[in-house]
C-alpha cells in the first residue's frame, strides 16, 4: 500500500487506485471506470441546482442527442476531464491562465486513449449548449419534477452502459 507521502508528485489517486498526473497524463493513467465513477458524483453547475444532477447524466444525454457514432462518442466523453480536474464554471476557467492548457492536454490524452478524434465536432458543442439551457430551465429557474435526475449509482451505470454500446 502506498502511503500518501509516497504518492507520485503532482498526481491524484482515483477510485480504482490509479495515480494520474493531470499535468503530464498518459493514456495508461486513464480508466473509463474512474471517469464514470467521478462524473456520477460530480454535480453540474458547480452544485448550484435544486437537485443533484451529475455530469455523467449530462454526458449520457448529450450522447443520446448526437446523430453520428463519432459525435455520440465525443459527446459522451466531452466533459471527461472533469473526472480529474472537476467541473469549473466557464467564467472562472477563463480567468485561470493555465487551466485551459491543462484541460486541453488532458482531454487530448483521454480522447487518444479511447480513439476519439480531438478536437471534437462543433455539433457536440451545440448539443452541450442546448443541454445547458434545458438544465437551467428545469433544474434552476424551475424545479420541474418531470426532469428526472439519476442517483449516483444509476448515473455511473448508464454512463458505462453507453460507453460499452458506443465503444464495443
Amino acid at each position: 500500500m502506498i502511503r500518501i507521502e509516497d504518492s507520485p508528485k503532482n498526481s491524484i489517486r482515483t477510485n480504482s487506485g490509479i495515480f494520474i498526473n493531470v499535468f503530464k497524463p498518459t493514456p495508461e493513467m486513464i480508466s473509463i471506470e474512474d471517469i464514470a465513477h467521478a462524473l456520477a458524483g460530480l454535480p453540474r453547475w458547480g452544485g448550484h441546482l435544486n437537485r443533484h444532477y451529475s455530469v455523467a447524466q449530462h454526458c449520457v444525454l448529450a450522447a443520446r442527442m448526437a446523430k453520428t457514432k463519432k459525435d455520440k462518442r465525443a459527446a459522451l466523453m466531452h466533459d471527461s476531464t472533469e473526472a480529474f480536474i472537476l467541473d469549473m464554471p466557464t467564467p472562472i476557467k477563463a480567468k485561470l491562465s493555465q487551466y485551459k492548457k491543462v484541460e486541453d492536454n488532458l482531454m487530448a490524452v483521454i480522447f487518444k486513449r479511447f480513439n476519439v478524434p480531438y478536437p471534437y465536432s462543433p455539433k457536440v458543442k451545440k448539443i452541450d449548449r442546448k443541454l445547458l439551457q434545458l438544465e437551467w430551465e428545469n433544474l434552476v429557474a424551475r424545479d420541474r419534477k418531470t426532469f428526472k435526475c439519476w442517483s449516483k449509482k444509476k448515473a455511473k451505470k448508464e454512463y458505462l452502459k453507453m460507453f460499452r454500446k458506443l465503444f464495443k
Side-chain angles (χ1 to χ4, degrees):
M1 176 171 222
I2 296 178
R3 298 177 314 155
I4 292 174
E5 54 272 10
D6 296 329
S7 299
K9 189 176 180 180
N10 296 320
S11 295
I12 60 169
R13 186 179 238 172
T14 64
N15 183 258
S16 69
I18 295 171
F19 285 95
I20 179 169
N21 180 335
V22 298
F23 305 104
K24 293 182 181 177
T26 64
E28 300 77 34
M29 295 174 182
I30 310 300
S31 158
I32 195 61
E33 288 80 11
D34 282 333
I35 291 171
H37 180 83
L39 295 185
L42 189 62
R44 287 277 289 158
W45 294 79
H48 293 281
L49 301 169
N50 292 316
R51 291 179 279 147
H52 176 75
Y53 172 70
S54 71
V55 174
Q57 183 175 353
H58 164 80
C59 291
V60 171
L61 296 180
R64 288 177 181 172
M65 291 172 72
K67 302 289 185 225
T68 67
K69 188 170 188 176
K70 177 182 165 186
D71 284 347
K72 286 179 178 293
R73 285 177 166 193
L76 183 67
M77 304 302 292
H78 82 279
D79 281 336
S80 56
T81 58
E82 295 176 11
F84 309 107
I85 57 176
L86 307 177
D87 183 16
M88 181 73 63
T90 302
I92 298 169
K93 277 184 197 181
K95 296 289 184 184
L96 302 175
S97 61
Q98 293 298 308
Y99 187 93
K100 190 66 178 153
K101 182 179 176 185
V102 170
E103 183 182 44
D104 282 342
N105 183 55
L106 181 56
M107 186 71 83
V109 170
I110 292 170
F111 274 50
K112 179 180 180 181
R113 165 75 173 87
F114 298 110
N115 198 27
V116 178
Y118 185 76
Y120 49 78
S121 158
K123 293 175 195 168
V124 174
K125 188 64 181 168
K126 190 174 181 180
I127 290 168
D128 193 31
R129 299 299 298 171
K130 188 174 184 177
L131 275 172
L132 184 78
Q133 186 63 40
L134 185 71
E135 293 159 1
W136 172 262
E137 291 170 3
N138 287 280
L139 297 169
V140 182
R142 291 172 204 78
D143 189 6
R144 291 192 175 126
K145 300 300 182 199
T146 54
F147 191 98
K148 301 296 180 193
C149 294
W150 301 339
S151 68
K152 180 179 177 180
K153 182 177 180 180
K154 181 172 179 165
K156 181 177 179 178
K157 179 182 172 187
E158 291 296 324
Y159 189 94
L160 290 171
K161 183 174 152 185
M162 180 63 77
F163 180 85
R164 285 190 295 274
K165 177 181 173 183
L166 297 173
F167 290 85
K168 59 182 170 184

